Every structure is written in C-alpha cells, then in structure tokens.
Amino acid sequence: MRLVILGGSGSGKSTQAQRLCSHLEIPQISTGEILRDAISHVSELGRHAHPYVAKGELVPDEMIIELIRLRLKKADVSEGWVLEGYPRTAFQAEELDFLLEELGQKLDWAIYLQVPEAVMVSRSLGRSLPDDQPEIVQRRVEIFYDRTVPILEYYDRRRRLLTINGDQIPELVSQNILTLLSVP
C-alpha cells in the first residue's frame, strides 16, 4: 500500500505514519527527516535547503522531489510506503503523481488528518523540536492553510482522499484510518 499523510504542523502526521508503517510493515518516508538528514550530513542538497528550513519557509519543489525520487528508488519500498510531509501544494501532488508513474508506482490514498488551528499550534509548541519556535510554527500554520485546500481538492477529484478527525487520541485516529483503508 502506498499512502500520503496530509495535515498541518502538529496534526499527528508522524505518529500516524509510524503506526501505519508498523501495522502494514512498510517504510515511512518523512520529508522532514530526509531534509534534517541532508542538512546534518551537509550534503549538496542539504546546504541549499538549510536557509529555507531555518526561516520556516518551504524548501523548493525541485529539491524535495529529487530527495523523494532517490528514496523511492531504494529496494525497501517495493511493498509500499507511507510518505509524510509531502506533498504540501497541489503542484507537488501532481509532481508526485508524475514521479510515481515514472517509477511504475501508484498512490493508493491521501489521508488528511484534520485538526483545529489552535490544536496544531499548541501541539507544535509542546514538542520542542529546534524549528518549533512560536513565530515559525505560526508561519507554518499559515502556509499550511493557504496551500492545503487545493491539495485536498486535487486528491478528492481523483477519488483518493480520506479525511480523518485528527483531534482525538492517537489510538482512535489509527483505528479510524485502518477501518477506512479496510485493513484488518
């Protein structure tokens, strides 16, 4: 199964991606992790991405899609994967579809974890990652709302969108996702 998890900062994307991956026994592909890794290992791509990440801005599409392309070519993704943190724009959703087509893969579902803005902000501020300062969190939430509706419409038109109430305990959210995916 190939899945994308959508949701704002602090919506529970990482938690749900991890749960799905262990349940389905497939790898998690986190663009946040790929980026932090590229930056900490001072790769060429990481050096170019760092200024964007430091300001809470989105890293340019071509950099991210290249990181994802490299990741999706690895052998461990043959049975499926859960992509977390991408796409963040309708353009990226389309780019991802082109990339998957090129790689002979197909997206099964885009799962949208819907949570109120206040919950996104308070959860983000509560987890103390280095880039979770109040002004950066607020900026990420604004960017998220500006760009999310078109992505949801993109996947909805293709009949590949599952919307889940993310403002519940993680176990319930996971159960709802697995039920909608019809996974035992």
Side-chain angles (χ1 to χ4, degrees):
M1 194 167 287
R2 295 180 183 94
L3 307 167
V4 160
I5 298 232
L6 306 169
S9 194
S11 63
K13 291 186 303 290
S14 297
T15 302
Q16 295 307 323
Q18 285 161 8
R19 286 166 173 260
L20 275 169
C21 288
S22 76
H23 190 88
L24 301 169
E25 298 177 357
I26 54 177
Q28 175 180 351
I29 301 172
S30 158
T31 51
E33 222 166 88
I34 292 173
L35 270 174
R36 282 191 283 275
D37 200 48
I39 290 167
S40 71
H41 290 90
V42 200
S43 73
E44 179 75 19
L45 227 41
R47 253 200 331 277
H48 291 298
H50 184 260
Y52 297 96
V53 174
K55 285 187 233 138
E57 299 289 336
L58 292 177
V59 174
D61 292 342
E62 56 279 2
M63 283 186 209
I64 296 288
I65 202 80
E66 192 46 43
L67 286 167
I68 292 170
R69 176 193 311 277
L70 295 171
R71 182 64 186 93
L72 292 181
K73 283 183 166 180
K74 294 191 175 163
D76 67 336
V77 300
S78 61
E79 298 302 308
W81 39 260
V82 176
L83 181 57
E84 183 246 311
Y86 188 91
R88 292 186 182 205
T89 65
F91 174 77
Q92 289 176 349
E94 216 170 345
E95 283 293 299
L96 180 62
D97 277 347
F98 291 141
L99 173 62
L100 293 176
E101 197 175 310
E102 177 191 313
L103 297 174
Q105 301 182 30
K106 184 181 178 295
L107 183 70
D108 293 298
W109 294 105
I111 299 166
Y112 174 48
L113 301 176
Q114 194 169 30
V115 298
E117 181 175 346
V119 172
M120 273 196 258
V121 172
S122 68
R123 283 182 184 173
S124 294
L125 294 174
R127 62 184 182 191
S128 69
L129 287 173
D131 55 346
D132 279 341
Q133 287 112 12
E135 59 283 353
I136 291 178
V137 166
Q138 196 54 53
R139 179 79 185 110
R140 279 202 306 253
V141 168
E142 287 165 19
I143 289 173
F144 170 74
Y145 279 114
D146 286 349
R147 301 181 182 187
T148 299
V149 173
I151 303 177
L152 301 179
E153 289 170 349
Y154 177 87
Y155 284 124
D156 195 38
R157 276 196 307 273
R158 285 157 183 76
R159 309 251 181 290
R160 284 190 280 162
L161 181 68
L162 299 177
T163 300
I164 307 277
N165 174 5
D167 192 15
Q168 319 175 68
I169 60 167
E171 294 73 22
L172 259 181
V173 176
S174 299
Q175 200 46 61
N176 290 346
I177 293 171
L178 292 172
T179 301
L180 283 176
L181 293 176
S182 309
V183 174

